[in-house]
Amino acid sequence: TADPCNVGNPNDIVYAEIAAAELVGVPSIVNNDGTLTLFPNPTNGIATIHFGNEVKDDVRMTISNILGQVIKNMGKVQIQDQNVQIDASDLADGLYYLNVTTEKEVRTISFNIVK
């Protein structure tokens, strides 16, 4: 079949529908290995972050909306027994990104708030 991205003439105007989530500017290192989990998800705003590996570095956390804008800065957090509890109950229902930054890397995990 023909390539759907290679149609029309060189000066044609092309209309494309792209999900906004694909345009979000989130950090490049995304948690895919299970070492960072957030539960429950969806949450009512109170959630626990579990670090699968022991963390010895300082950890800073922010929450971004689907536009990539930081809407909550939690700063440096204290990890106890590889867990951190976050309170995002002041945020509206929706999809958010938790950005976890250490001296070595940035990890991002998505979560939903449903009240």
Side-chain angles (χ1 to χ4, degrees):
T1 64
D3 180 0
C5 296
N6 194 13
V7 296
N9 295 316
N11 294 323
D12 285 350
I13 295 174
V14 177
Y15 171 80
E17 288 187 24
I18 301 172
E22 295 177 19
L23 301 175
V24 175
V26 295
S28 59
I29 300 175
V30 177
N31 181 63
N32 289 325
D33 60 5
T35 59
L36 181 68
T37 54
L38 181 147
F39 59 90
N41 191 10
T43 178
N44 63 1
I46 306 295
T48 299
I49 314 307
H50 177 73
F51 295 84
N53 297 331
E54 185 177 356
V55 178
K56 296 180 181 177
D57 298 332
D58 288 341
V59 175
R60 297 185 178 278
M61 292 186 180
T62 61
I63 296 176
S64 301
N65 61 18
I66 62 170
L67 300 176
Q69 301 164 322
V70 174
I71 56 171
K72 187 165 189 151
N73 185 346
M74 292 169 278
K76 186 177 171 183
V77 297
Q78 296 296 319
I79 300 172
Q80 296 177 352
D81 298 324
Q82 295 179 256
N83 293 312
V84 173
Q85 189 172 46
I86 62 166
D87 182 355
S89 59
D90 56 327
L91 302 178
D93 288 8
L95 174 65
Y96 295 93
Y97 296 96
L98 177 71
N99 307 299
V100 179
T101 305
T102 67
E103 294 174 7
K104 298 176 185 166
E105 63 187 347
V106 176
R107 296 215 174 215
T108 302
I109 190 165
S110 65
F111 67 101
N112 288 296
I113 294 179
V114 179
K115 297 178 187 172

